Amino acid sequence: FYSYFWAQGAAPPNSTEREGFCVRSTVRWSRAISPAFELNDYTSSNYSTWTESRWKEIKGRIFLVASHDLEMLTLGVGIGVLLTSLLLTYIISSKADILFSSGREPTTATY
């Protein structure tokens, strides 16, 4: 049921030699290669010629989840910014003729 793997651990401080350890896991390994590659029959109609790309390094990412209070604060600020921008857009649009007209043009201008 379990697989055992020897892992190379982290190097202790002020040391160049790593301390290994044994890992017990339920992970199974399988070669991600098409039988067509093993048979050297790349035009085979029985097997697809797919393979999994090689991974150069193994890495993981940790995504932190914000607290419920912070999520609600972010939502509230976003809604506030949205409503403020809608209100300002409406006011500027309704007063555009006053705000963006130049009062210095003569009414009988000849071009």
Side-chain angles (χ1 to χ4, degrees):
F1 183 72
Y2 294 106
S3 296
Y4 295 88
F5 301 100
W6 185 257
Q8 184 179 30
N14 301 325
S15 176
T16 57
E17 197 149 325
R18 297 177 180 266
E19 296 176 1
F21 56 93
C22 187
V23 177
R24 183 177 82 167
S25 174
T26 57
V27 173
R28 299 284 182 225
W29 285 29
S30 65
R31 292 187 62 199
I33 188 168
S34 170
F37 292 123
E38 293 177 351
L39 299 173
N40 289 330
D41 186 12
Y42 301 110
T43 60
S44 172
S45 60
N46 296 328
Y47 304 107
S48 63
T49 53
W50 55 265
T51 185
E52 184 178 1
S53 59
R54 291 192 74 184
W55 296 1
K56 303 255 182 202
E57 60 187 44
I58 297 174
K59 59 183 176 181
R61 290 192 228 174
I62 298 174
F63 295 98
L64 300 177
V65 178
S67 68
H68 183 70
D69 295 337
L70 182 60
E71 288 178 344
M72 291 299 111
L73 176 67
T74 305
L75 179 64
V77 169
I79 290 172
V81 168
L82 173 69
L83 294 176
T84 303
S85 65
L86 289 174
L87 181 65
L88 283 175
T89 302
Y90 175 75
I91 292 170
I92 291 171
S93 178
S94 66
K95 306 290 183 187
D97 56 338
I98 298 169
L99 294 172
F100 300 112
S101 68
S102 63
R104 298 181 184 236
E105 286 187 21
T107 56
T108 59
T110 306
Y111 296 103

